[in-house]
Each structure stands twice: as structure tokens, then as C-alpha cells.
Amino acid sequence: MHYSSFVITPLGLLGNSLAIIIFSKLNEGTSGIKFMQLLAVVDNFALVKDGFLQVILPGLGIDLRLVSNFSCKVTVWLSAAITSTGSHIIMTIGFDRILALYYPFKYREYGKPWRAQTACIVIALYQTVLWSPALLFCQISEHGCDYDDTSLISRKFLGAWVQFEIVQYALGPIILIIISNVLIVARLRKGFQTSEPNSLQMTRLVRCDSGNKAPTERNARLRSEVKRRARTF
């Protein structure tokens, strides 16, 4: 038995629950905040699955996967779907950050919480359907709850399906997350390099406005642009 699960699982649930409460109280209504909140919700399900159902309860002599073939199928199906949903939400958060950094005006228009909620629901439904073959091919055997590869049809199908799952669950998200992080870092570096000219622009605006009580429309637009860049970076 992994005794650390008795500590890590409750602490993880507590941390994620606090994150959900904090994100719900933030005044900034953006898709990025909603994505983080929903990721914490999915992580709680993953902790229940990995900590309680697969470690703590079996360590206490209660393994729900071995109660019946039905419980075996449902447990494997939901376990895989929850894990994949979390990894794809993380990937989507990367693209949300790219939109916020590269297209801030478009992000204000499209980066709404309801869009993030819709995206997470679509991801969850997609993963539950994608992992539904577990309901057909999982059963209790002498090795425990696992996929049944005794027939030729199941072996051929499982071979192709497992390869596809490796790509969509691990390889694909990892590559896309790396690409999104590289783009985010590149944009932030560019922002840091241009932060000093922006500060000089603001200084000139302040000096101009101090001698002119009625600032021109051009200065007002420039000031608004400088403030927008400062908020973006």
C-alpha cells in the first residue's frame, strides 16, 4: 500500500477545492480563469480516482474494479476519460494564453468564461466517447481488471486503438503544449524588450499633458495603447 496517498490525496483535494473557490471570486471574467477553475474540478476527480479508488480502498481490501465485470468496465472507462480530459484542458489553456498575448483585443471579445466552459464540456464528452471501447473489452481475469485480448478481433482492435490513444493522450498534447509554451515565452521576451520604450513614451505623454490641460486626441490614443501593452505584459 502507498501510505503517502493517505496524505497526498486529502491535501490535493483541499488545494484544488480552495483554488475553485478563489477562482470563482475573482472579478476578472475571462476564459483563462474559467479554464483554471474547471481544471481544478477535473483534478479533484482524478485524485478521487487515483487516490481513493485505486490505492486507498484496495489497500483496505475494497477494490471496486473487482466487484463485477460491470464495475471493471466502468472504472477503467471513467479513469481513462478523466485523465485524458485533464491533459487536454491543460493543452487548451496554452492556446488560451497565446490568444491573450498575441491578440489581446480579440481575446477581450472572445475570451469569455462561457466559451471555456463549453470547450471543457466538449473535451469531456469527446474523451468519454473515445474511451468507450473499454466498456466492451474490459473484464475481470486472473490478472485482475484488464482488457480482454483472448479473441483475434479484440487483439487487432486493441492494438490499433492503443496506438491511437498514445498519440491523442500523450504524444499529441505534449507536442502542442511545448509549442504553445515556446510561443508564450517568445511573446513575453518581446514584451520585456519593448517595456523600456513604452515607459519612455508614457514619460513623454506625462510631460506633454502637464503643460497642456486639454490633451490632444492623438496623445489620448497613445496613452491608451501604452496602458494596454502594460496590462498585456
Side-chain angles (χ1 to χ4, degrees), residues 70-114:
F70 177 77
S71 65
C72 171
K73 295 174 185 294
V74 172
T75 302
V76 174
W77 171 53
L78 291 179
S79 175
I82 290 171
T83 305
S84 296
T85 298
S87 66
H88 281 72
I89 290 178
I90 294 174
M91 178 182 67
T92 309
I93 290 175
F95 289 113
D96 180 81
R97 295 296 85 199
I98 290 175
L99 178 63
L101 289 172
Y102 281 83
Y103 308 101
F105 292 111
K106 290 290 185 182
Y107 184 75
R108 293 177 187 176
E109 180 180 356
Y110 294 105
K112 303 299 182 183
W114 69 267

